[in-house]
Amino acid sequence: MGAGVWVRGFGWRHAGRRGWAVRGVDLRVERGERVLLLGPSGAGKSTLLAALAGLLPEDSGEHEGTIEIDGRPVGEGVGIVFQDPQSQLVMSRSGDDVAFGLENRGVPTGQIWQRVDEALDRVGFPYHRDRPTAALSGGEQQRLALAGVLALRPGLLLLDEPTANLDPAGAALIRAALARAVDADTTLILVEHRVADALPLVDRVVVLEPGGGVRADGPPDTVFAAHGDALAAEGVWVPGRTIPPRRATAPAGEVLLTAERLGQPPRLTPTDLTVRAGEALAVLGPNGAGKSTLALLLGGLLRPGTGRLVASPELAGTDSGTAPHRWRAPALTRRIGSVFQNPEHQFVTGTVFDELALGPRRTGAAEPAVRDRVSELLSRLRLDRLAAANPYTLSGGEARRLSVATALATAPRVLLCDEPTFGQDRRTWRELVDLLADLRDTGNGMVAVTHDAEFVAALADRTLMLAPPATSPEAR
């Protein structure tokens, strides 16, 4: 039986933060409703889902208002699926992973495996329950995570951008699994930036106002007809609103990096490519094709397993003739900047300001120059109000912008980005595209690993398509 949700004046402020992550939310969701929760990056969507799931400990912040879920404590009878599939899997075998939650709930042993098999079947899991979780693609991992939640038979199902880390094929599989697997009386609240793709799954749209409260609430067609232009201007991905591309202002310049049969078996087959000044190269391909591995190799952060990576004399400077993975860290960060797929993997300080200042300080920049550079990046990427915040308390979109900014802080000649537009609303997405286009047009080389077709159309001058490791990559 689906759960009813009643939110009255709810707000949450993370410990040590001056501003509220979300505030003044009044919301009633009836049993069996399917709600798409929208709002610009930083409006508090993920925070509200975490509150509903009981994942905001009282000692980690300040709250106001109340949340009721059929009169029970938050989190009870609630299932949640997050953005990153790997973060949700805890066992080495697929069936054991689905059974894990049932065992923790004390479900009788005789019922567990029947419920595991039912859940795997509902999400269209294509393997036996003995399949190793490490052998699954991103889309398969996310279907397994969904099965683990559905096996618990939650009255309220929360989905926090469940397709954000997936390629288009994997994302389509998850949406199909949701359409097939979620019972008609299960209450569903979904956060998803891919609005047009998510609309067939929902019957109601709620838009959070960044300053607090609910901006719009109603059937999708009604909300977008009345508020579509304003919502698009405020950052919501309203269907049908296109963004013009940013084409290069000049032909590509000299070659900065050359990969010759560069690979890392079994994750990446030998690959040839060039990175040129004044050009944006998009690396595409399905999950598991080795895109992130290629980005680490190009960034000098991983020793090649096959082939070699050659930097031009202009890029290598005093290290000319030496492979980038052998450069000292200060030299590498001045020449090649890397943005990782998971933003939190590159945060090492306690504040956003210090995170941005770290790179320039390590390269020996004077403190006034460091502060000027940090202030410029904070303003450009709409992070100025968060300068004193802990990076680990940022929303997904804010964390992604910070990770891009940290890579830019040392003004590297080559920038490597792994899913740079992940988690962005329409406004910050466009600002990131404009920022990266400006860098390209001033002569920087750029490589972006991405599943974002709109990003490729808006920025890429050239693409490299990686196939799964069993076959060879094809560039065009």
Side-chain angles (χ1 to χ4, degrees), residues 140-156:
E140 291 164 351
Q141 289 177 339
Q142 195 67 304
R143 276 190 281 175
L144 181 63
L146 178 60
V149 171
L150 293 177
L152 299 173
R153 299 173 181 171
L156 173 62

Side-chain angles (χ1 to χ4, degrees), residues 4-12 22 25-29 44-56 63-76 78 156 158 189:
V5 178
W6 201 337
V7 181
R8 298 183 182 91
F10 176 74
W12 177 266
V22 64
V25 175
D26 293 296
L27 181 64
R28 176 69 177 172
V29 180
K45 304 180 295 297
S46 293
T47 302
L48 180 56
L49 289 195
L52 291 167
L55 299 178
L56 296 178
H63 83 276
E64 59 185 16
T66 61
I67 297 178
E68 295 179 11
I69 302 175
D70 279 349
R72 295 175 294 180
V74 293
E76 193 172 306
V78 178
L156 173 62
L158 308 173
I189 300 180

Side-chain angles (χ1 to χ4, degrees), residues 35-364:
V35 177
L36 176 62
L37 191 63
L38 297 180
S41 178
K45 304 180 295 297
S46 293
T47 302
L48 180 56
L49 289 195
L52 291 167
L55 299 178
L56 296 178
E58 290 186 6
D59 59 357
S60 66
E62 176 186 355
H63 83 276
E64 59 185 16
T66 61
I67 297 178
E68 295 179 11
I69 302 175
D70 279 349
R72 295 175 294 180
V74 293
E76 193 172 306
V78 178
I80 186 168
V81 178
F82 297 104
Q83 300 164 346
D84 182 6
Q86 293 182 352
S87 69
Q88 303 164 86
L89 305 183
V90 296
M91 305 296 286
S92 61
R93 294 191 307 172
S94 297
D96 293 342
D97 202 86
V98 178
F100 182 78
L102 297 171
E103 292 169 345
N104 284 340
R105 293 279 180 89
V107 174
T109 304
Q111 299 179 21
I112 287 178
W113 292 109
Q114 178 183 349
R115 287 174 64 167
V116 166
D117 290 338
E118 288 175 353
L120 290 173
D121 182 65
R122 287 173 68 188
V123 301
F125 190 71
Y127 307 110
H128 188 268
R129 65 164 87 119
D130 289 336
R131 180 78 170 183
T133 54
L136 303 177
S137 70
E140 291 164 351
Q141 289 177 339
Q142 195 67 304
R143 276 190 281 175
L144 181 63
L146 178 60
V149 171
L150 293 177
L152 299 173
R153 299 173 181 171
L156 173 62
L157 178 60
L158 308 173
L159 303 168
D160 192 354
E161 295 201 60
T163 65
N165 285 347
L166 304 181
D167 59 35
L173 288 173
I174 289 299
R175 290 191 294 271
L178 285 168
R180 176 176 59 248
V182 179
D183 293 333
D185 61 353
T186 299
T187 306
L188 174 68
I189 300 180
L190 167 67
V191 171
E192 178 61 82
H193 275 88
R194 298 173 180 177
V195 175
D197 293 332
L199 286 180
L201 297 173
V202 302
D203 48 37
R204 178 181 170 193
V205 170
V206 174
V207 183
L208 295 185
E209 185 75 53
V214 173
R215 169 65 185 270
D217 184 355
D221 290 344
T222 301
V223 169
F224 293 136
H227 304 281
D229 291 340
L231 291 174
E234 293 172 4
V236 175
W237 284 103
V238 177
R241 271 69 171 183
T242 59
I243 295 178
R246 283 288 307 269
R247 297 294 173 229
T249 57
E254 70 274 22
V255 174
L256 299 175
L257 287 172
T258 301
E260 300 174 350
R261 308 303 292 165
L262 190 67
Q264 192 71 34
R267 291 178 289 172
L268 175 68
T269 55
T271 302
D272 297 323
L273 65 85
T274 56
V275 179
R276 294 180 176 273
E279 182 180 65
L281 170 67
V283 178
L284 312 175
N287 289 92
K291 301 184 297 299
S292 295
T293 299
L294 178 60
L296 291 173
L297 289 166
L298 294 174
L301 301 173
L302 189 64
R303 181 177 180 174
T306 65
R308 63 175 187 157
L309 178 67
V310 180
S312 70
E314 187 266 338
L315 178 64
T318 57
D319 288 311
S320 183
T322 303
H325 74 275
R326 297 187 181 276
W327 296 348
R328 293 178 64 84
L332 183 64
T333 57
R334 284 195 303 268
R335 299 165 186 165
I336 304 175
S338 292
V339 179
F340 302 134
Q341 187 174 63
N342 297 307
E344 63 274 12
H345 288 178
Q346 63 194 90
F347 298 155
V348 296
T349 72
T351 71
V352 168
F353 185 96
D354 287 340
E355 200 68 44
L356 291 175
L358 182 65
R361 285 170 176 163
R362 283 184 170 174
T363 61

